[in-house]
Amino acid sequence: MNPKLRALLAVGAELSRGIGLRGKIRQAHRDRDRLVMADAIVTVLGLITGVALAVREVRKAGQR
């Protein structure tokens, strides 16, 4: 598979993970559930890291 295509798919996969996250954060805020909120925050940080790594791979594939 083309490295650039594979990297773009990785970016899409990371972004799709965040779809339900907004609702989870809102529900945790409504319920004042700190554990669920902490889990959501850690998930967001992991998502940001995953997107950054995937974008880096896209840039590397573009240079080749």
Side-chain angles (χ1 to χ4, degrees), residues 39-60:
D39 179 54
I41 290 169
V42 168
T43 303
V44 167
L45 294 174
L47 184 114
I48 291 169
T49 303
V51 169
L53 289 170
V55 167
R56 183 174 71 183
E57 288 301 314
V58 169
R59 288 183 179 163
K60 280 184 181 178

Side-chain angles (χ1 to χ4, degrees), residues 18-31:
I19 291 175
L21 204 51
R22 183 177 177 192
K24 185 177 181 179
I25 290 171
R26 286 184 177 190
Q27 187 65 40
H29 184 69
R30 261 186 254 124
D31 296 344

Side-chain angles (χ1 to χ4, degrees), residues 9-36:
L9 287 173
V11 170
E14 289 296 327
L15 292 176
S16 69
R17 286 180 40 202
I19 291 175
L21 204 51
R22 183 177 177 192
K24 185 177 181 179
I25 290 171
R26 286 184 177 190
Q27 187 65 40
H29 184 69
R30 261 186 254 124
D31 296 344
R32 298 187 189 278
D33 189 336
R34 290 185 177 181
L35 184 59
V36 173

